């Protein structure tokens, strides 16, 4: 098949790396890492798809899905893996998503929805008075910055002011969800969906906070590992039965014909799975880890899901994988770009370095910095940083511990100024 991937981050690199083993892959816009396995085309995604006429389009990020890119592509007769704007509302509106969870009977934290600060404060106060703590969530898509988990009423008060009064998150924070804080371990369940049918991929564990020991601000994700020993098959089945399937049925009842990934963010509370949120796309950096474990046939699975055909399964051939994200100093706040990156050519063969925020050094960086790199490192092209999350260093192994050791050994040999990473990815399983 000829497959066009829309996007240019670490998730899209992982998809391209996997799909390029069996198919011809194009990416729009792609990135310097993706360019090693696919043809990258910079341009408008819809025009590019019409021009390339691939057998399958896979849309990576949520924003184009929210904006209806999948719908516009389908109108052009393209086969697309990714939900339309109707299904993508799960990420455009937490108010929509929580309301549908409630209707579908999906276990989730009790919540209320607010558009004015006074009623939001009353709801938060009432919960703290009852001995509960809360999470304050911007309803709209806020790039992982829209959730504030609060230990005290004062923190909730600040978060409400930030979203509804100061409008720091813009429109995304104009509606706010206040919900009970849940406590438990989290995992990410990625299901490839065709209507009400689905196939789940191996479960991964993400690390959302910026710093070791789950401290610091929330990020897009600082690392992942799979399998997750504490999440056994029984728990996954429960999550599928209580969180994935009822939501697909509820969407169908609302006329939403969903073809794409439904990513369930699950928290295990007293041994039972509860839904924190749904995303409408592959997780990042979950995908980097999950792709390392799959056997052949992913392209066929995504194609069948896009077409509404019976879903084939994909085998899991690799026992364990770990991905460690290398971020720019300052992430998730402000950070420098254009910093030269040095990746040794002789990393362990179990390692794949996925590019998340990089650019081609020859174009982006002043000459003196590059010449130094050019003589010492990778021949395919030299890279500079171009984003908060720069690289995902992904390794496989017979066990998570082995994969982890290999990933960190490689991560330590990759150099750029301000490199920031968590040291505890997959440390405690
Ligand atoms: P979300 O974008 O809704 O997944 O939230 C981002 C992160 O915030 C989650 O991965 C959790 O770590 C945390 N979180 C969200 N909702 C809750 C909640 N009700 N209780 C505790 N933590 C939460
Ligand atoms: N790693 C979490 C996400 O992709 O939303």
């Amino acid at each position: 098949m000829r497959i066009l991937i829309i996007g240019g981050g670490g998730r899209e690199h992982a998809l391209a790396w996997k799909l390029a083993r069996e198919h011809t892959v194009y990416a729009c816009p792609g990135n310097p890492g993706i360019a090693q396995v696919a043809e990258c085309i910079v341009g408008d995604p819809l025009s590019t798809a019409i021009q390339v006429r691939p057998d399958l389009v896979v849309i990576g990020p949520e924003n184009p899905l929210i904006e209806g890119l999948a719908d516009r592509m389908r109108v052009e007769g393209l086969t697309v893996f990714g939900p339309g704007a109707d299904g993508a509302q799960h990420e455009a509106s937490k108010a929509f998503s929580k309301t549908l969870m409630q209707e579908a009977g999906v276990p989730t934290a009790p919540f209320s929805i607010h558009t004015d600060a006074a009623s939001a404060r009353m709801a938060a106060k009432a919960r703290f008075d009852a001995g509960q703590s809360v999470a304050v969530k911007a309803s709209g898509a806020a790039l992982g910055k829209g959730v504030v988990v609060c230990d005290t009423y004062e923190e909730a008060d600040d978060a409400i002011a930030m979203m509804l009064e100061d409008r720091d998150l813009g429109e995304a924070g104009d509606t706010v969800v206040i919900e009970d804080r849940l406590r438990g371990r989290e995992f990410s369940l990625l299901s490839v969906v065709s209507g009400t049918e689905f196939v789940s991929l191996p479960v991964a564990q993400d690390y959302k906070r910026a710093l070791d020991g789950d401290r610091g601000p929330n990020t897009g994700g600082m690392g992942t590992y799979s399998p997750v020993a504490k999440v056994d098959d029984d728990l996954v089945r429960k999550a599928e039965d209580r969180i994935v399937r009822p939501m697909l049925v509820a969407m169908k009842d609302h006329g939403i014909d969903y073809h794409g990934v439904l990513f369930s963010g699950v928290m295990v509370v007293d041994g039972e799975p509860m839904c924190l949120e749904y995303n409408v796309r592959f997780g990042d950096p979950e995908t980097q880890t999950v792709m390392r474990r799959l056997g052949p046939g992913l392209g066929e699975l995504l194609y069948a899901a896009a077409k509404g055909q019976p879903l084939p399964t994909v085998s899991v051939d690799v026992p364990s994988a770990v991905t460690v994200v290398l971020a720019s100093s300052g992430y998730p706040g402000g950070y420098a770009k254009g910093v030269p990156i040095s990746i040794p050519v002789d990393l362990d063969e179990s390692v794949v370095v996925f590019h998340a925020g990089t650019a081609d050094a020859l174009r982006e960086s002043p000459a003196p910095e590059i010449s130094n790199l050019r003589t010492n490192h990778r021949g395919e092209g030299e890279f500079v940083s171009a984003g908060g999350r720069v690289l995902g260093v992904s390794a496989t192994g017979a066990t998570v511990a082995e994969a982890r050791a290999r990933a960190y050994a490689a991560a330590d040999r990759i150099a750029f100024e301000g490199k920031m990473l968590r040291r505890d990815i997959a440390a405690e399983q």
Side-chain angles (χ1 to χ4, degrees), residues 99-175:
T99 305
L100 206 54
M101 285 187 221
Q102 194 171 44
E103 186 186 314
V106 170
T108 189
F111 68 100
S112 53
I113 298 170
H114 306 272
T115 51
D116 73 282
S119 83
R121 287 194 170 98
M122 264 169 60
K125 185 84 175 54
R127 288 191 153 82
F128 277 103
D129 286 347
Q132 257 292 337
S133 45
V134 304
V136 177
K137 299 185 169 186
S139 182
L143 292 173
K145 293 178 190 156
V147 175
V148 185
V149 179
C150 307
D151 286 321
T152 62
Y153 173 72
E154 287 63 38
E155 285 171 25
D157 183 76
D158 283 351
I160 290 164
M162 182 269 280
M163 292 177 197
L164 285 169
E165 290 172 345
D166 304 339
R167 300 192 72 240
D168 283 5
L169 303 177
E171 264 179 38
D174 282 348
T175 299

Side-chain angles (χ1 to χ4, degrees), residues 206 208 220 263 279 281 283-286:
D206 185 20
K208 289 221 165 76
F263 165 158
N279 295 308
R281 44 152 181 96
D284 189 339
E286 284 86 344

Side-chain angles (χ1 to χ4, degrees), residues 26 68 124 141 144-145 156 163 196 229 251 265 283 288 298 314 341 348 378 392:
Y26 303 82
K145 293 178 190 156
M163 292 177 197
T196 53
M251 286 201 280
Q288 288 85 319
L298 180 71
V314 174
I341 304 166
D348 189 87
R378 230 182 243 289

Side-chain angles (χ1 to χ4, degrees), residues 94 109 135 137 147 149 179-182 186 208 218 267 276-277:
K94 284 194 194 292
K137 299 185 169 186
V147 175
V149 179
E179 66 180 38
D180 284 359
R181 178 181 185 174
L182 302 176
E186 284 182 53
K208 289 221 165 76
N218 261 326
M267 191 175 266
L276 287 178
E277 64 160 354

